[in-house]
Amino acid sequence: MKPSPEPTKPGPIRALARRTVANPASAAYLTLVGGATAVAALEPLFASGPDASLAWVWPALLTFPAFGFVAWLGEATWGAEAPTWFFVGGIAVSALAQSLALGTAWRALRGRRERRSRLTAAG
């Protein structure tokens, strides 16, 4: 009978992807941002008023700390004529960066809680 191989640690790319999307905090955040982005993208199909473009404020606000840098970069590069693809891509990149930060915080808090429970169970 062959001995079972020891479990290996996931590679750095896989660990990064897990922290970005595969935990409850990151999944909830990305769902919220994705929903706001979908509503903003579909708003012009259903509303014809001048306020239809204001729907993009919500995805930008949900990704704000990171999106502030994107907005600054767009203003510095193109001025008031920044292309739409830059801001939509900036929202996506900002959401992923903040999701990674949430996943890292989630892992740190879970690790601390698991270590504490291990210490009290063993003591």
Side-chain angles (χ1 to χ4, degrees):
M1 186 158 69
K2 269 180 141 174
S4 62
E6 291 185 29
T8 60
K9 287 180 68 174
I13 300 296
R14 187 170 180 172
L16 187 69
R18 287 175 119 185
R19 284 190 184 173
T20 304
V21 296
N23 62 70
S26 296
Y29 174 72
L30 290 175
T31 300
L32 184 65
V33 173
T37 304
V39 167
L42 294 174
E43 183 72 24
L45 298 175
F46 301 113
S48 59
D51 295 340
S53 65
L54 290 177
W56 283 101
V57 169
W58 289 107
L61 285 176
L62 289 171
T63 59
F64 181 67
F67 186 71
F69 176 73
V70 172
W72 171 81
L73 188 61
E75 182 73 25
T77 306
W78 288 286
E81 301 297 319
T84 304
W85 63 264
F86 180 77
F87 287 116
V88 174
I91 287 171
V93 169
S94 298
L96 289 173
Q98 290 182 176
S99 178
L100 174 62
L102 275 171
T104 302
W106 177 266
R107 179 161 164 75
L109 292 173
R110 288 278 311 236
R112 181 180 298 168
R113 188 173 71 182
E114 287 173 1
R115 281 192 304 271
R116 182 179 290 166
S117 67
R118 236 182 295 142
L119 290 175
T120 56

